[in-house]
């Protein structure tokens, strides 16, 4: 098994939470992804934060292009490693 991780970047917490819920349905993700707030250095305003959804893909079964297209529905993207 590999330690493959995908990071989806979303514009706000609501979008990130919706993505977490939809991942299981769309991709059959069994392990709940981690949700992480990523603020720019020195930024305290929640409006300036991005939210990251980090999911493990140890079996390398998730297609990066499909994940990127999926995240785009919430105005997000998949971060390239």
């Amino acid at each position: 098994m590999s330690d493959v991780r995908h990071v989806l970047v979303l514009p706000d917490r609501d979008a990130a939470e919706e993505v977490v819920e939809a991942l299981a349905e769309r991709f059959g993700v069994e392990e709940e992804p981690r949700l992480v707030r990523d603020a720019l250095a020195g930024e305290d305003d929640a409006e300036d934060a991005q939210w990251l959804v980090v999911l493990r893909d140890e079996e390398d079964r998730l297609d990066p292009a499909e994940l990127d297209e999926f995240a785009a529905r919430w105005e997000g993207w998949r971060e390239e490693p």
Side-chain angles (χ1 to χ4, degrees), residues 22-81:
L23 279 166
E25 184 177 315
R26 170 66 175 86
F27 294 99
V29 174
E30 295 175 7
E31 181 179 331
E32 185 168 333
R34 287 187 333 173
L35 187 59
V36 180
R37 180 177 182 263
D38 182 34
L40 298 173
E43 295 293 337
D44 291 329
D45 189 352
E47 291 181 23
D48 293 328
Q50 294 177 326
W51 288 83
L52 308 178
V53 174
V54 181
L55 59 146
R56 291 171 46 160
D57 184 19
E58 292 176 347
E59 296 175 10
D60 200 22
R61 63 181 189 85
L62 300 174
D63 179 11
E66 285 184 46
L67 285 171
D68 194 36
E69 185 178 304
F70 177 77
R73 295 180 194 163
W74 287 271
E75 299 180 16
W77 65 90
R78 187 184 70 85
E79 188 72 25
E80 290 293 330

